[in-house]
Amino acid sequence: MRATLFREPLDAAVAPATAALLLRGEERPFALIGAWAGGGALLGSRPVRVAEPGADLFGLLDDQPEVIVPAADGPPAAPATRIVGGGWVGFFGFELRHAVERGHPPPPRPIAVPDGDLAFYDHLLRCDAAGGWWFEALVTPE
């Protein structure tokens, strides 16, 4: 599947931590804020797909569209080398190691914790390192 990146600047002057609070009450919200990937933030909610319990989480990472970044004037440019506009977001727990290697069983837990969890988001809000906000989406025929 192919997806075209849609990117639109937003007229907003909100600190990422404050913007993250606006996601309260949304379905499966996430906020990745910090100096990683050059700084800024990624915020999202309402994924289009959620990994089923027991799914191969490592395998799901390969299940995403080829992202085409449109050229400023004209046809789409070559496929993007970096996924933008959305993608899988979640976590891999330490015990997911058993999917790739043998090891000691985990210690008992008073509350069961999944080995990992992923959801696919086809849109997000991005705050770049300069503080500018963008709406980004992976647009497919569907």
Side-chain angles (χ1 to χ4, degrees):
M1 178 192 302
R2 295 179 116 187
T4 302
L5 173 66
F6 173 81
R7 191 167 195 245
E8 184 73 26
L10 301 174
D11 185 19
V14 180
T18 302
L21 295 174
L22 299 174
L23 295 174
R24 288 182 293 201
E26 289 288 327
E27 178 188 346
R28 293 184 70 104
F30 75 88
L32 302 172
I33 302 171
W36 56 271
L42 297 176
L43 307 176
S45 64
R46 302 181 190 177
V48 295
R49 183 175 170 199
V50 175
E52 298 290 330
D56 174 9
L57 299 179
F58 293 122
L60 284 177
L61 294 178
D62 289 328
D63 187 10
Q64 54 190 338
E66 174 186 7
V67 177
I68 304 298
V69 179
D73 304 349
T81 57
R82 187 172 136 201
I83 300 301
V84 292
W88 290 102
V89 177
F91 75 92
F92 291 150
F94 181 73
E95 293 306 324
L96 193 57
R97 68 189 166 93
H98 290 293
V100 295
E101 68 181 7
R102 297 175 66 180
H104 297 291
R109 297 179 178 162
I111 298 173
V113 177
D115 290 340
D117 188 30
L118 291 174
F120 189 86
Y121 297 81
D122 67 350
H123 65 284
L124 55 81
L125 296 176
R126 177 190 298 268
C127 180
D128 61 29
W133 283 95
W134 302 82
F135 173 77
E136 295 185 357
L138 300 176
V139 180
T140 63
E142 293 80 31

